[in-house]
Amino acid sequence: MKNTLITAIAFFRLLTFQKIINYALLACSFQLSRILGTPIIWGKPTTLSIEPTTSCNLRCPECPSGLRAFSRPTGMLQEKLFTKTIDQAKGHLTWLHLYFQGEPFLNPRFLEMVFYANSKGIFTSTSTNAHYLQENQVAEVLHSGLKQLIVSMDGITQDIYEKYRIGGNLVKVQDGINLLLSERKKSGRPFPRVVLQFLITGQNEHQLPELKRWAEKMQVDEVQLKTTQIYDFENGSALIPADLGYSRYVPAGNGKWKLKKKMKNKCWRMWQGAVATWDGKIVPCCFDKDAQYVMGELQTQSLASIWFSLRYQNFRNQLLTDRSQLEICKNCTE
C-alpha cells in the first residue's frame, strides 16, 4: 500500500491545472459518446506509449518481437522524432510509457529520452526483461528520472522461466533487480519504483507463492500478476492456466475456448491515449502490434491533428457501433 501511494504521489505532483482540465474533458466526452452512440472528443491524449525499438534479445512465443514476425518495418526510435513529439504533448500528457514492442534498453539513446520527458514534467514508465541492468545502466536509470520500471519475470527457477522467456537468464535478471534496488537505496532516491510483473501461464502458476516470497525478501515495490494473451486461443494452449481466475479465456463448451469477458461497444483507451511506433505511426492501442490501423504519421503530422482526424473519429465510431468488427479488439480484455 505504501509503495503504491509513493507512485501515486509522484504522479499527482506532476499534474497541472491544464492537464487536469484536459483529463476531465476526455472523461466527459467519452461518457457523452457512449450515451449518444457517436464519437465526441474534447481533450488531447493524456497518456502515450512510444516504442523505443522493435528489437529484443529474447524469443517469447506470444510476442512479435520474440518471434521476429512483424509485418511492419522494424527499427529504432530516433531522438529527434521523440523530442518533437514530447514538445507537442507536454502540456496535456500525464503518463508516458516508453514501451510497445521490443526491449527498450537496446536503444542506445533510451535513457536520454527518459531524461528529456522527465525534464518536461511527464510521469515516465517502461517495461523491460531486465537483462541490461548492469552497473553503468543502473546509474543512468537512477539519473534519468524514470518513475516506474516494470520487470517481466515469469518464473522463479531457470527451467520454468525460460519456458516463456526463451533465451533468458534468470540469475542475470535477479542480479539486475537486486543491483538497482541496492543502488537506489544508497542514493536515497525513491525512484524508479520497481514493479515485478509475473505473466501467469499453465507452466508457471504453481510458482506464484515462491515468487511472492522472493519479491518480499528483495523488497520489490510491487508484484503485478498479468494474464497471458494467446493469439490462437480458440484451440486452447499449454499457456492457459489451470486456475481460470488467472486466465483471459474460458472453455466455450464445444472443445474450443473464448474470451472470459464479453465484448462491449466501448473502450476508454480510444479517448485516453494512443500508441506510437518507433517510426512515428500512431495506432489506437497496444493490441495493434502490427500497426494494422494507422491513424496518422508523426513524421509529417502533428499529434493533435491525428488525434482529432476523421480517420480516428471513424475508428471510434466503429468501436461504438460494433466493436466486434475490429480485428485488434477480438483478443482484448478491456
Side-chain angles (χ1 to χ4, degrees):
M1 182 66 181
K2 179 185 174 183
N3 291 319
T4 306
L5 185 61
I6 291 171
T7 303
I9 290 171
F11 174 76
F12 284 111
R13 278 181 174 171
L14 293 173
L15 291 182
T16 62
F17 181 73
Q18 183 183 349
K19 290 179 181 181
I20 293 169
I21 292 298
N22 181 70
Y23 184 91
L25 288 171
L26 289 173
C28 289
S29 60
F30 171 62
Q31 295 302 335
L32 193 58
S33 298
R34 289 183 59 197
I35 294 167
L36 298 178
T38 188
I40 298 165
I41 191 85
W42 287 334
K44 296 177 182 178
T46 186
T47 65
L48 192 61
S49 293
I50 300 181
E51 179 178 63
T53 180
T54 49
S55 301
C56 190
N57 53 310
L58 303 185
R59 290 184 171 269
C60 305
E62 294 291 327
C63 172
S65 292
L67 294 169
R68 313 306 194 250
F70 284 110
S71 61
R72 61 180 170 96
T74 56
M76 296 272 180
L77 173 66
Q78 297 302 301
E79 200 167 12
K80 185 178 179 181
L81 177 62
F82 176 77
T83 54
K84 173 187 168 185
T85 304
I86 294 302
D87 288 345
Q88 290 178 30
K90 62 186 178 184
H92 52 84
L93 204 62
T94 61
W95 191 295
L96 173 67
H97 191 51
L98 266 161
Y99 175 78
F100 178 27
Q101 298 297 298
E103 168 50 52
F105 282 86
L106 286 174
N107 187 318
R109 310 301 292 272
F110 167 61
L111 290 171
E112 292 175 37
M113 295 181 202
V114 173
F115 184 86
Y116 187 79
N118 181 67
S119 73
K120 299 301 178 181
I122 301 167
F123 187 100
T124 52
S125 171
T126 193
S127 298
T128 178
N129 59 48
H131 281 73
Y132 298 96
L133 292 179
Q134 284 109 30
E135 196 167 339
N136 288 342
Q137 286 88 346
V138 164
E140 290 177 19
V141 168
L142 293 172
H143 176 69
S144 71
L146 182 70
K147 295 296 186 292
Q148 180 173 268
L149 183 72
I150 301 170
V151 177
S152 299
M153 197 181 94
D154 314 315
I156 201 67
T157 57
Q158 178 63 28
D159 62 323
I160 297 298
Y161 171 78
E162 67 183 359
K163 283 182 181 292
Y164 191 84
R165 301 289 163 182
I166 297 171
N169 184 319
L170 181 61
V171 171
K172 197 171 187 178
V173 172
Q174 292 177 328
D175 286 349
I177 295 170
N178 184 36
L179 178 63
L180 176 59
L181 290 170
S182 174
E183 292 301 309
R184 189 185 75 181
K185 187 175 181 179
K186 287 179 189 176
S187 71
R189 293 172 173 159
F191 302 105
R193 309 309 289 172
V194 177
V195 178
L196 191 67
Q197 188 177 86
F198 190 80
L199 196 65
I200 304 171
T201 70
Q203 300 163 336
N204 67 12
E205 60 186 314
H206 64 285
Q207 292 197 333
L208 264 173
E210 193 177 349
L211 173 93
K212 290 177 180 177
R213 286 193 294 270
W214 183 86
E216 187 175 356
K217 178 184 175 183
M218 294 296 297
Q219 296 184 310
V220 168
D221 299 306
E222 183 183 344
V223 174
Q224 189 178 86
L225 304 180
K226 187 178 179 182
T227 58
T228 305
Q229 180 187 3
I230 299 165
Y231 285 115
D232 188 23
F233 66 85
E234 293 92 349
N235 295 313
S237 168
L239 294 173
I240 297 177
D243 185 343
L244 296 181
Y246 294 125
S247 173
R248 298 185 186 192
Y249 316 101
V250 292
N254 57 357
K256 299 287 186 177
W257 292 74
K258 63 180 182 179
L259 278 173
K260 183 189 291 183
K261 292 183 180 180
K262 184 180 178 182
M263 188 185 297
K264 297 180 180 180
N265 292 330
K266 64 172 185 173
C267 183
W268 166 234
R269 291 187 188 192
M270 294 307 104
W271 276 255
Q272 178 193 49
V275 175
T277 62
W278 68 273
D279 53 351
K281 293 182 177 68
I282 290 291
V283 297
C285 80
C286 60
F287 278 85
D288 193 6
K289 294 178 172 60
D290 270 312
Q292 297 176 51
Y293 299 90
V294 177
M295 299 293 110
E297 304 261 358
L298 289 172
Q299 299 277 13
T300 56
Q301 299 169 269
S302 70
L303 179 59
S305 68
I306 297 169
W307 184 249
F308 293 112
S309 68
L310 179 61
R311 183 182 297 182
Y312 225 134
Q313 285 296 79
N314 287 339
F315 186 88
R316 294 184 183 105
N317 185 62
Q318 178 63 59
L319 186 146
L320 292 168
T321 307
D322 185 3
R323 190 176 164 206
S324 66
Q325 297 303 306
L326 296 169
E327 191 63 34
I328 60 172
C329 293
K330 293 179 181 179
N331 199 356
C332 177
T333 56
E334 179 74 15

